[in-house]
Amino acid sequence: PPPPPPNPPPATILVKKKGSTTNPRIPTPQWHAPWRLTSVLSSHLGWVRSLTFDPTNDMFASGGADRVIKLFDFAKASVGAEDALKLTLTGHISPVRGLAFSPRHPYLFSCGEDKMVKCWDLETNQVIRHYHGHLSGVFSLKIHPTLDLLVTGGRDACARVWDMRSKQQVHCLTGHDSTVGAILMKSVDPQIITGSYDATIKLWDLAAGKCRTTLTHHQKSVRALAQPSYENTFVSGAADVLKKWTGKEGRFIKNLNGHRAMVNGLALNDDGVLVSGGNDGSIRFWDYESGYCFQKSETIAQPGSLDAENGIFVTEFDQTGTRLLTGEADKTIKIWKQDEDASEVTDPIDLSGWRKQCVAESKMRY
């Protein structure tokens, strides 16, 4: 008789998870003070879809579904002064979905659902450049930190890289199957990260204009991305879960579970506070390092609004990270700050609940 076949090598499709599930490693969360609402600006006549801060932190710009861009004096807005509004820029004919101040020029860039990408000169308050090429609405816009490049993503499922000065399209980054809803720019490779409504995230090689990596872990549309200034990681937000990744190769680090909403806005400051804002008006504050959710809040719609107008579209920290702005469906911009009277005694970390959550997540199979 023929000899029995040798034992086949073990299949590597099922890989035993490293680390013991009986004794998982539980990271210690850093304590952060809870955040409180301090002032409300009701100036827009439509949903507030975009916010951005000036590099000097003196002012911020907001764009809304009322088709205008408004510039506010940040110090006056923080105390709720009547004359906080400095300027209103008109020119878009559809909701303004993306805004960015240039760190090196007196320019403000805007994009909207009217397919237009505009460059405003803030010394004359006029449009000095248009970037033509998008075939449908433009939903996101970012400026390169060191090069004079602009990246916009839209409903035509591609991200376009523009030369700021010559208005020429440098690259058209194609590959997504649906709207490009979020963009990150970095000065190190991969210099462009895009999140799409097709539930994927792509990391791009800027020099070649090609996709380096595609991350397919999310099950729902990726509508928000954020990255810290102090380490090379980033976080993505979708309706299923928030996920943290390494910045270089896009390796998955951890899930941040618990925000059961369509996450439209993510913001991260230098203290390691991550904020996620949901379509249902829910706000979650996380310790970015450990993934611990230290505060769960609901926004309050301004008087006269419907309950359905409890939605957050954009979250943005100021340059110091001490104030948080949210753009909302009740047509307001809300300014939040940390509670100065809070301490670890008044608002302690729920360590037992955190331990239970870590143990439960370690028993999950993926």
Side-chain angles (χ1 to χ4, degrees), residues 101-115:
F101 281 100
S102 168
R104 293 176 296 281
H105 319 95
Y107 295 160
L108 171 67
F109 293 89
S110 66
C111 67
E113 293 177 16
D114 48 13
K115 313 181 202 174

mmCIF file with all atom_site columns, all heavy atoms in Angstrom, residues 101-115:
data_model
loop_
_atom_site.group_PDB
_atom_site.id
_atom_site.type_symbol
_atom_site.label_atom_id
_atom_site.label_alt_id
_atom_site.label_comp_id
_atom_site.label_asym_id
_atom_site.label_entity_id
_atom_site.label_seq_id
_atom_site.pdbx_PDB_ins_code
_atom_site.Cartn_x
_atom_site.Cartn_y
_atom_site.Cartn_z
_atom_site.occupancy
_atom_site.B_iso_or_equiv
_atom_site.pdbx_formal_charge
_atom_site.auth_seq_id
_atom_site.auth_comp_id
_atom_site.auth_asym_id
_atom_site.auth_atom_id
_atom_site.pdbx_PDB_model_num
ATOM 1   N N   . PHE A 1 101 ? -7.700  77.688 5.622   1.00 0.00 ? 101 PHE A N   1
ATOM 2   C CA  . PHE A 1 101 ? -6.809  78.844 5.528   1.00 0.00 ? 101 PHE A CA  1
ATOM 3   C C   . PHE A 1 101 ? -5.436  78.361 5.094   1.00 0.00 ? 101 PHE A C   1
ATOM 4   O O   . PHE A 1 101 ? -4.964  77.316 5.557   1.00 0.00 ? 101 PHE A O   1
ATOM 5   C CB  . PHE A 1 101 ? -6.664  79.526 6.890   1.00 0.00 ? 101 PHE A CB  1
ATOM 6   C CG  . PHE A 1 101 ? -7.808  80.421 7.265   1.00 0.00 ? 101 PHE A CG  1
ATOM 7   C CD1 . PHE A 1 101 ? -8.787  79.972 8.138   1.00 0.00 ? 101 PHE A CD1 1
ATOM 8   C CD2 . PHE A 1 101 ? -7.891  81.707 6.774   1.00 0.00 ? 101 PHE A CD2 1
ATOM 9   C CE1 . PHE A 1 101 ? -9.838  80.800 8.509   1.00 0.00 ? 101 PHE A CE1 1
ATOM 10  C CE2 . PHE A 1 101 ? -8.945  82.536 7.140   1.00 0.00 ? 101 PHE A CE2 1
ATOM 11  C CZ  . PHE A 1 101 ? -9.912  82.083 7.998   1.00 0.00 ? 101 PHE A CZ  1
ATOM 12  N N   . SER A 1 102 ? -4.773  79.137 4.232   1.00 0.00 ? 102 SER A N   1
ATOM 13  C CA  . SER A 1 102 ? -3.393  78.796 3.872   1.00 0.00 ? 102 SER A CA  1
ATOM 14  C C   . SER A 1 102 ? -2.472  79.250 4.996   1.00 0.00 ? 102 SER A C   1
ATOM 15  O O   . SER A 1 102 ? -2.599  80.375 5.494   1.00 0.00 ? 102 SER A O   1
ATOM 16  C CB  . SER A 1 102 ? -3.004  79.493 2.575   1.00 0.00 ? 102 SER A CB  1
ATOM 17  O OG  . SER A 1 102 ? -1.615  79.384 2.386   1.00 0.00 ? 102 SER A OG  1
ATOM 18  N N   . PRO A 1 103 ? -1.506  78.390 5.406   1.00 0.00 ? 103 PRO A N   1
ATOM 19  C CA  . PRO A 1 103 ? -0.586  78.804 6.477   1.00 0.00 ? 103 PRO A CA  1
ATOM 20  C C   . PRO A 1 103 ? 0.479   79.786 5.996   1.00 0.00 ? 103 PRO A C   1
ATOM 21  O O   . PRO A 1 103 ? 1.151   80.412 6.804   1.00 0.00 ? 103 PRO A O   1
ATOM 22  C CB  . PRO A 1 103 ? 0.055   77.489 6.924   1.00 0.00 ? 103 PRO A CB  1
ATOM 23  C CG  . PRO A 1 103 ? -0.112  76.553 5.784   1.00 0.00 ? 103 PRO A CG  1
ATOM 24  C CD  . PRO A 1 103 ? -1.317  76.994 5.010   1.00 0.00 ? 103 PRO A CD  1
ATOM 25  N N   . ARG A 1 104 ? 0.630   79.939 4.666   1.00 0.00 ? 104 ARG A N   1
ATOM 26  C CA  . ARG A 1 104 ? 1.733   80.756 4.147   1.00 0.00 ? 104 ARG A CA  1
ATOM 27  C C   . ARG A 1 104 ? 1.271   81.963 3.338   1.00 0.00 ? 104 ARG A C   1
ATOM 28  O O   . ARG A 1 104 ? 2.073   82.803 2.989   1.00 0.00 ? 104 ARG A O   1
ATOM 29  C CB  . ARG A 1 104 ? 2.644   79.898 3.256   1.00 0.00 ? 104 ARG A CB  1
ATOM 30  C CG  . ARG A 1 104 ? 3.396   78.836 4.011   1.00 0.00 ? 104 ARG A CG  1
ATOM 31  C CD  . ARG A 1 104 ? 4.211   77.960 3.085   1.00 0.00 ? 104 ARG A CD  1
ATOM 32  N NE  . ARG A 1 104 ? 3.378   77.190 2.163   1.00 0.00 ? 104 ARG A NE  1
ATOM 33  C CZ  . ARG A 1 104 ? 2.735   76.079 2.499   1.00 0.00 ? 104 ARG A CZ  1
ATOM 34  N NH1 . ARG A 1 104 ? 2.830   75.621 3.733   1.00 0.00 ? 104 ARG A NH1 1
ATOM 35  N NH2 . ARG A 1 104 ? 2.001   75.427 1.620   1.00 0.00 ? 104 ARG A NH2 1
ATOM 36  N N   . HIS A 1 105 ? -0.008  82.042 3.020   1.00 0.00 ? 105 HIS A N   1
ATOM 37  C CA  . HIS A 1 105 ? -0.506  83.145 2.201   1.00 0.00 ? 105 HIS A CA  1
ATOM 38  C C   . HIS A 1 105 ? -1.761  83.714 2.859   1.00 0.00 ? 105 HIS A C   1
ATOM 39  O O   . HIS A 1 105 ? -2.387  83.034 3.671   1.00 0.00 ? 105 HIS A O   1
ATOM 40  C CB  . HIS A 1 105 ? -0.891  82.657 0.786   1.00 0.00 ? 105 HIS A CB  1
ATOM 41  C CG  . HIS A 1 105 ? 0.064   81.668 0.195   1.00 0.00 ? 105 HIS A CG  1
ATOM 42  N ND1 . HIS A 1 105 ? -0.115  80.314 0.286   1.00 0.00 ? 105 HIS A ND1 1
ATOM 43  C CD2 . HIS A 1 105 ? 1.214   81.850 -0.488  1.00 0.00 ? 105 HIS A CD2 1
ATOM 44  C CE1 . HIS A 1 105 ? 0.891   79.699 -0.325  1.00 0.00 ? 105 HIS A CE1 1
ATOM 45  N NE2 . HIS A 1 105 ? 1.707   80.598 -0.797  1.00 0.00 ? 105 HIS A NE2 1
ATOM 46  N N   . PRO A 1 106 ? -2.156  84.931 2.500   1.00 0.00 ? 106 PRO A N   1
ATOM 47  C CA  . PRO A 1 106 ? -3.404  85.480 3.065   1.00 0.00 ? 106 PRO A CA  1
ATOM 48  C C   . PRO A 1 106 ? -4.631  84.968 2.314   1.00 0.00 ? 106 PRO A C   1
ATOM 49  O O   . PRO A 1 106 ? -5.479  85.737 1.882   1.00 0.00 ? 106 PRO A O   1
ATOM 50  C CB  . PRO A 1 106 ? -3.216  86.996 2.871   1.00 0.00 ? 106 PRO A CB  1
ATOM 51  C CG  . PRO A 1 106 ? -2.377  87.102 1.650   1.00 0.00 ? 106 PRO A CG  1
ATOM 52  C CD  . PRO A 1 106 ? -1.459  85.904 1.642   1.00 0.00 ? 106 PRO A CD  1
ATOM 53  N N   . TYR A 1 107 ? -4.700  83.631 2.140   1.00 0.00 ? 107 TYR A N   1
ATOM 54  C CA  . TYR A 1 107 ? -5.741  83.041 1.314   1.00 0.00 ? 107 TYR A CA  1
ATOM 55  C C   . TYR A 1 107 ? -6.657  82.146 2.149   1.00 0.00 ? 107 TYR A C   1
ATOM 56  O O   . TYR A 1 107 ? -6.219  81.513 3.109   1.00 0.00 ? 107 TYR A O   1
ATOM 57  C CB  . TYR A 1 107 ? -5.139  82.162 0.202   1.00 0.00 ? 107 TYR A CB  1
ATOM 58  C CG  . TYR A 1 107 ? -4.307  82.885 -0.831  1.00 0.00 ? 107 TYR A CG  1
ATOM 59  C CD1 . TYR A 1 107 ? -3.384  82.188 -1.618  1.00 0.00 ? 107 TYR A CD1 1
ATOM 60  C CD2 . TYR A 1 107 ? -4.437  84.254 -1.041  1.00 0.00 ? 107 TYR A CD2 1
ATOM 61  C CE1 . TYR A 1 107 ? -2.613  82.833 -2.574  1.00 0.00 ? 107 TYR A CE1 1
ATOM 62  C CE2 . TYR A 1 107 ? -3.673  84.918 -1.988  1.00 0.00 ? 107 TYR A CE2 1
ATOM 63  C CZ  . TYR A 1 107 ? -2.762  84.199 -2.749  1.00 0.00 ? 107 TYR A CZ  1
ATOM 64  O OH  . TYR A 1 107 ? -2.002  84.842 -3.691  1.00 0.00 ? 107 TYR A OH  1
ATOM 65  N N   . LEU A 1 108 ? -7.906  82.106 1.717   1.00 0.00 ? 108 LEU A N   1
ATOM 66  C CA  . LEU A 1 108 ? -8.868  81.144 2.253   1.00 0.00 ? 108 LEU A CA  1
ATOM 67  C C   . LEU A 1 108 ? -9.393  80.341 1.071   1.00 0.00 ? 108 LEU A C   1
ATOM 68  O O   . LEU A 1 108 ? -9.789  80.910 0.047   1.00 0.00 ? 108 LEU A O   1
ATOM 69  C CB  . LEU A 1 108 ? -10.025 81.870 2.952   1.00 0.00 ? 108 LEU A CB  1
ATOM 70  C CG  . LEU A 1 108 ? -11.226 81.020 3.379   1.00 0.00 ? 108 LEU A CG  1
ATOM 71  C CD1 . LEU A 1 108 ? -10.840 80.060 4.483   1.00 0.00 ? 108 LEU A CD1 1
ATOM 72  C CD2 . LEU A 1 108 ? -12.374 81.906 3.838   1.00 0.00 ? 108 LEU A CD2 1
ATOM 73  N N   . PHE A 1 109 ? -9.379  79.018 1.195   1.00 0.00 ? 109 PHE A N   1
ATOM 74  C CA  . PHE A 1 109 ? -9.879  78.149 0.129   1.00 0.00 ? 109 PHE A CA  1
ATOM 75  C C   . PHE A 1 109 ? -11.227 77.589 0.543   1.00 0.00 ? 109 PHE A C   1
ATOM 76  O O   . PHE A 1 109 ? -11.434 77.260 1.718   1.00 0.00 ? 109 PHE A O   1
ATOM 77  C CB  . PHE A 1 109 ? -8.893  77.005 -0.139  1.00 0.00 ? 109 PHE A CB  1
ATOM 78  C CG  . PHE A 1 109 ? -7.586  77.484 -0.720  1.00 0.00 ? 109 PHE A CG  1
ATOM 79  C CD1 . PHE A 1 109 ? -6.542  77.859 0.106   1.00 0.00 ? 109 PHE A CD1 1
ATOM 80  C CD2 . PHE A 1 109 ? -7.419  77.571 -2.091  1.00 0.00 ? 109 PHE A CD2 1
ATOM 81  C CE1 . PHE A 1 109 ? -5.347  78.312 -0.422  1.00 0.00 ? 109 PHE A CE1 1
ATOM 82  C CE2 . PHE A 1 109 ? -6.234  78.026 -2.631  1.00 0.00 ? 109 PHE A CE2 1
ATOM 83  C CZ  . PHE A 1 109 ? -5.187  78.402 -1.800  1.00 0.00 ? 109 PHE A CZ  1
ATOM 84  N N   . SER A 1 110 ? -12.124 77.488 -0.423  1.00 0.00 ? 110 SER A N   1
ATOM 85  C CA  . SER A 1 110 ? -13.454 76.958 -0.116  1.00 0.00 ? 110 SER A CA  1
ATOM 86  C C   . SER A 1 110 ? -13.904 76.045 -1.244  1.00 0.00 ? 110 SER A C   1
ATOM 87  O O   . SER A 1 110 ? -13.479 76.188 -2.391  1.00 0.00 ? 110 SER A O   1
ATOM 88  C CB  . SER A 1 110 ? -14.455 78.104 0.054   1.00 0.00 ? 110 SER A CB  1
ATOM 89  O OG  . SER A 1 110 ? -14.634 78.770 -1.181  1.00 0.00 ? 110 SER A OG  1
ATOM 90  N N   . CYS A 1 111 ? -14.754 75.086 -0.905  1.00 0.00 ? 111 CYS A N   1
ATOM 91  C CA  . CYS A 1 111 ? -15.342 74.212 -1.919  1.00 0.00 ? 111 CYS A CA  1
ATOM 92  C C   . CYS A 1 111 ? -16.799 73.963 -1.547  1.00 0.00 ? 111 CYS A C   1
ATOM 93  O O   . CYS A 1 111 ? -17.173 74.065 -0.382  1.00 0.00 ? 111 CYS A O   1
ATOM 94  C CB  . CYS A 1 111 ? -14.575 72.890 -2.019  1.00 0.00 ? 111 CYS A CB  1
ATOM 95  S SG  . CYS A 1 111 ? -14.708 71.855 -0.565  1.00 0.00 ? 111 CYS A SG  1
ATOM 96  N N   . GLY A 1 112 ? -17.593 73.638 -2.541  1.00 0.00 ? 112 GLY A N   1
ATOM 97  C CA  . GLY A 1 112 ? -19.019 73.476 -2.269  1.00 0.00 ? 112 GLY A CA  1
ATOM 98  C C   . GLY A 1 112 ? -19.669 72.454 -3.174  1.00 0.00 ? 112 GLY A C   1
ATOM 99  O O   . GLY A 1 112 ? -19.034 71.867 -4.060  1.00 0.00 ? 112 GLY A O   1
ATOM 100 N N   . GLU A 1 113 ? -20.951 72.266 -2.954  1.00 0.00 ? 113 GLU A N   1
ATOM 101 C CA  . GLU A 1 113 ? -21.717 71.311 -3.747  1.00 0.00 ? 113 GLU A CA  1
ATOM 102 C C   . GLU A 1 113 ? -22.010 71.830 -5.155  1.00 0.00 ? 113 GLU A C   1
ATOM 103 O O   . GLU A 1 113 ? -22.624 71.132 -5.961  1.00 0.00 ? 113 GLU A O   1
ATOM 104 C CB  . GLU A 1 113 ? -23.033 70.966 -3.026  1.00 0.00 ? 113 GLU A CB  1
ATOM 105 C CG  . GLU A 1 113 ? -22.802 70.187 -1.743  1.00 0.00 ? 113 GLU A CG  1
ATOM 106 C CD  . GLU A 1 113 ? -24.081 69.902 -0.982  1.00 0.00 ? 113 GLU A CD  1
ATOM 107 O OE1 . GLU A 1 113 ? -25.164 70.029 -1.582  1.00 0.00 ? 113 GLU A OE1 1
ATOM 108 O OE2 . GLU A 1 113 ? -23.994 69.566 0.211   1.00 0.00 ? 113 GLU A OE2 1
ATOM 109 N N   . ASP A 1 114 ? -21.564 73.061 -5.460  1.00 0.00 ? 114 ASP A N   1
ATOM 110 C CA  . ASP A 1 114 ? -21.727 73.630 -6.797  1.00 0.00 ? 114 ASP A CA  1
ATOM 111 C C   . ASP A 1 114 ? -20.532 73.306 -7.697  1.00 0.00 ? 114 ASP A C   1
ATOM 112 O O   . ASP A 1 114 ? -20.358 73.978 -8.723  1.00 0.00 ? 114 ASP A O   1
ATOM 113 C CB  . ASP A 1 114 ? -21.937 75.142 -6.699  1.00 0.00 ? 114 ASP A CB  1
ATOM 114 C CG  . ASP A 1 114 ? -20.913 75.807 -5.787  1.00 0.00 ? 114 ASP A CG  1
ATOM 115 O OD1 . ASP A 1 114 ? -19.917 75.141 -5.434  1.00 0.00 ? 114 ASP A OD1 1
ATOM 116 O OD2 . ASP A 1 114 ? -21.098 76.976 -5.434  1.00 0.00 ? 114 ASP A OD2 1
ATOM 117 N N   . LYS A 1 115 ? -19.712 72.315 -7.307  1.00 0.00 ? 115 LYS A N   1
ATOM 118 C CA  . LYS A 1 115 ? -18.530 71.850 -8.058  1.00 0.00 ? 115 LYS A CA  1
ATOM 119 C C   . LYS A 1 115 ? -17.383 72.854 -8.048  1.00 0.00 ? 115 LYS A C   1
ATOM 120 O O   . LYS A 1 115 ? -16.380 72.641 -8.710  1.00 0.00 ? 115 LYS A O   1
ATOM 121 C CB  . LYS A 1 115 ? -18.861 71.528 -9.522  1.00 0.00 ? 115 LYS A CB  1
ATOM 122 C CG  . LYS A 1 115 ? -20.088 70.682 -9.756  1.00 0.00 ? 115 LYS A CG  1
ATOM 123 C CD  . LYS A 1 115 ? -20.261 70.423 -11.230 1.00 0.00 ? 115 LYS A CD  1
ATOM 124 C CE  . LYS A 1 115 ? -21.693 70.058 -11.547 1.00 0.00 ? 115 LYS A CE  1
ATOM 125 N NZ  . LYS A 1 115 ? -21.949 69.927 -12.962 1.00 0.00 ? 115 LYS A NZ  1
#
